[in-house]
Amino acid sequence: MTEDRISSTHPQIPPTTEEARLTRLRLLRSRRVGAITYHRLMREYGTAQTALEALPDIARTAGVSRYTPTSTEDAERELNTGRALGARPLFFGEAEYPRLLAETPDAPPMVWALGRTELLNTPCVAVIGARNASSLGQRMARRLGQELGEAGLTVVSGLARGIDAAAHEAALETGTIAVYAGGLSRPYPAKNNQLAEEISEKGLCLSEQPPTMEPRARHFPARNRIISGLVRAVVVVEAAAKSGSLLTARIALDQSRDVLAVPGHPFDARAAGANILIRDGALLVRDAADVLEALNTLPMRIPPPKNTPIIPLDTPTTPPRSLRETAALHSEILTRLGPSPLSEDQLNRDLSVRAHDLTAALLDLEMDGKVTRLAGGLLSKT
């Protein structure tokens, strides 16, 4: 493997055959290959097959011996299982892959879609919030879900109890997208199984995990960046000061999405996170009209995809970091961080790296459970 090969970049050409999809899935499911690493490998090696062949040498350089990529049989098994559920695999670069999500630097290389995939080409807004939501908070979520749906927006959420479920239920007839933390055959929580079935029939269910994957703690931050990546705006209805909803809001800001929040009583801990967002500049939401006013410059329909290959919008203008450089950056971040919170801005100044590289590395470490985000843009080592 030469330095010329490492520093080269290639646009991702949409997979056009079943064999190409199978090879990409093998690369994606191989050990230690997440979304960011997948895209980097595709840029550096041009094809999934070439990247697969290089993986053992890359792993050996990183100190991992006897590395074996995911087998063809395992990838075939996943494809067969997903399709048996009635789901379809949508690969990055294909015409039906959601355009807004494709703009994000850590876009899922593939998502499983069960239901009305045409909803991916409609304007979307996320409505998210506390699992242990108050009665008033759930009423607000239902009202927003219904009125935003009636205005032509598709409501996106995470199928959780409380605010998420209320928003989904209210938007069932107009269009809603549920993003799973686990696989499509493992909706979470089990209490929402019936709701998940209704969404798969009337709306759309999405997951980047294998269909039978049980949801784990690290999957929820990954799910959250898909929720915000699909939409033009995120509306937070009740959220604790330290919650997944606030993480989603911060990811949304990193993705250049609008963040809006419903205010709550200062004595209610469930409203603390939403109030913090408003204090820090999020738009205050009293009703659906406030959301629609914030989005009044958006087209009511995203133009249909053209029959041309999609070039990744996140391809950097400067050469991407090699896997070795990325591993070194991960190590530097973990060395700088400790139990005492440190601001991301200060970390960026200490390391003197590009903001894009730091954001991508932090998301990697956060998903691995090695870094924790705290209120106020602070970070700590887990």
Side-chain angles (χ1 to χ4, degrees), residues 159-329:
L159 196 66
R161 291 182 294 111
I163 297 301
D164 290 21
H168 283 310
E169 289 167 353
L172 267 175
E173 300 304 322
T174 53
T176 187
I177 298 174
V179 184
Y180 287 26
L184 287 181
S185 67
R186 299 289 189 270
Y188 181 87
K191 175 183 177 181
N192 287 342
N193 282 357
Q194 180 60 40
L195 175 59
E197 186 174 339
E198 291 184 62
I199 295 173
S200 70
E201 293 171 356
K202 298 180 179 181
L204 178 66
C205 298
L206 282 185
S207 171
E208 67 174 328
Q209 303 299 337
T212 59
M213 173 69 73
E214 290 283 355
R216 300 171 185 170
R218 70 174 184 274
H219 296 154
F220 288 89
R223 175 205 63 179
N224 294 347
R225 112 277 191 191
I226 298 177
I227 292 173
S228 56
L230 289 169
V231 304
R232 299 300 298 269
V234 173
V235 182
V236 178
V237 185
E238 290 191 345
K242 295 180 181 180
S243 66
S245 297
L246 254 65
L247 172 60
T248 307
R250 293 196 178 93
I251 295 172
L253 291 171
D254 290 340
Q255 295 170 334
S256 299
R257 308 307 194 235
D258 289 326
V259 174
L260 304 88
V262 176
H265 197 285
F267 288 168
D268 189 345
R270 290 171 294 198
N275 290 341
I276 288 170
L277 289 173
I278 294 170
R279 181 201 65 189
D280 292 344
L283 295 176
L284 185 149
V285 172
R286 299 164 297 177
D287 51 32
D290 286 337
V291 181
L292 295 172
E293 182 180 352
L295 301 178
N296 64 1
T297 58
L298 298 180
M300 287 312 292
R301 194 160 190 88
I302 295 172
K306 299 177 181 178
N307 294 322
T308 55
I310 299 173
I311 303 300
L313 300 180
D314 64 314
T315 301
T317 55
T318 55
R321 285 177 171 266
S322 69
L323 294 176
R324 186 176 302 171
E325 290 172 328
T326 299
L329 178 57

Side-chain angles (χ1 to χ4, degrees), residues 242 333-343 370-375 378-382:
K242 295 180 181 180
I333 291 171
L334 293 175
T335 299
R336 296 275 183 174
L337 292 178
S340 299
L342 178 71
S343 74
K370 297 177 180 177
V371 167
T372 300
R373 283 189 183 269
L374 306 172
L378 298 176
L379 304 161
S380 68
K381 190 173 179 180
T382 302

Side-chain angles (χ1 to χ4, degrees), residues 61-102:
T61 301
V64 180
S65 59
R66 292 182 293 184
Y67 182 95
T68 303
T70 291
S71 67
T72 300
E73 292 75 20
D74 285 344
E76 286 177 336
R77 189 177 301 112
E78 177 176 339
L79 288 175
N80 292 336
T81 300
R83 287 165 175 160
L85 292 172
R88 297 173 54 195
L90 305 180
F91 284 85
F92 185 93
E94 291 185 317
E96 284 191 284
Y97 190 94
R99 286 293 183 94
L100 283 179
L101 187 60

Side-chain angles (χ1 to χ4, degrees), residues 30-52:
S30 292
R31 188 161 51 104
R32 298 197 176 191
V33 177
I36 292 174
T37 301
Y38 173 96
H39 290 302
R40 186 179 300 115
L41 288 168
M42 291 296 288
R43 286 196 298 264
E44 291 174 2
Y45 293 97
T47 69
Q49 183 59 47
T50 306
L52 276 171

